[in-house]
């Protein structure tokens, strides 16, 4: 049952955003980035640093959501026990 749930997490995805949705990162429940989307207005060659910060913020949000999703799903099976290596 646990193996099936872990497999399902790989098929599910979450989205992290930054800059009011100007940068979007889609990530699987296994924390693999599926896509990166930029609003063309946020791509300013004169301000690459801002774009880098937005990408980092969106990735961090996606990772947090992915971990939360995995924790909720696995917590239902493990009865809330924190098993090293699963989350």
């Amino acid at each position: 049952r646990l193996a099936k749930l872990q497999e399902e997490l790989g098929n599910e995805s979450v989205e992290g955003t930054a800059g009011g949705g100007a940068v979007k990162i889609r990530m699987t429940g296994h924390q693999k980035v599926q896509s990166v989307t930029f609003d063309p207005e946020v791509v300013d060659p004169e301000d690459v640093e801002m774009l880098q910060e937005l990408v980092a913020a969106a990735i961090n949000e996606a990772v947090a959501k992915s971990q939360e999703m995995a924790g909720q799903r696995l917590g239902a099976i493990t009865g809330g026990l924190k098993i090293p290596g699963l989350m």
Side-chain angles (χ1 to χ4, degrees):
R1 186 172 162 195
L2 182 58
K4 180 175 175 25
L5 181 59
Q6 287 181 314
E7 181 182 330
E8 289 173 359
L9 284 171
N11 296 326
E12 301 218 18
S13 61
V14 296
E15 184 174 270
T17 63
V23 175
K24 297 177 184 175
I25 305 291
R26 181 156 291 285
M27 178 178 289
T28 69
H30 289 163
Q31 299 176 347
K32 303 289 184 194
V33 174
Q34 294 176 307
S35 67
V36 178
T37 307
F38 300 111
D39 182 328
E41 293 179 15
V42 78
V43 182
D44 179 359
E46 300 297 317
D47 195 3
V48 173
E49 188 174 309
M50 187 219 20
L51 182 58
Q52 292 168 333
E53 290 171 4
L54 290 173
V55 169
I59 289 171
N60 288 334
E61 182 179 305
V63 167
K65 286 182 176 181
S66 175
Q67 290 174 339
E68 181 181 336
M69 179 176 65
Q72 290 174 350
R73 303 279 170 76
L74 294 172
I77 288 179
T78 64
L81 292 175
K82 302 289 184 192
I83 300 173
L86 287 182
M87 294 182 263

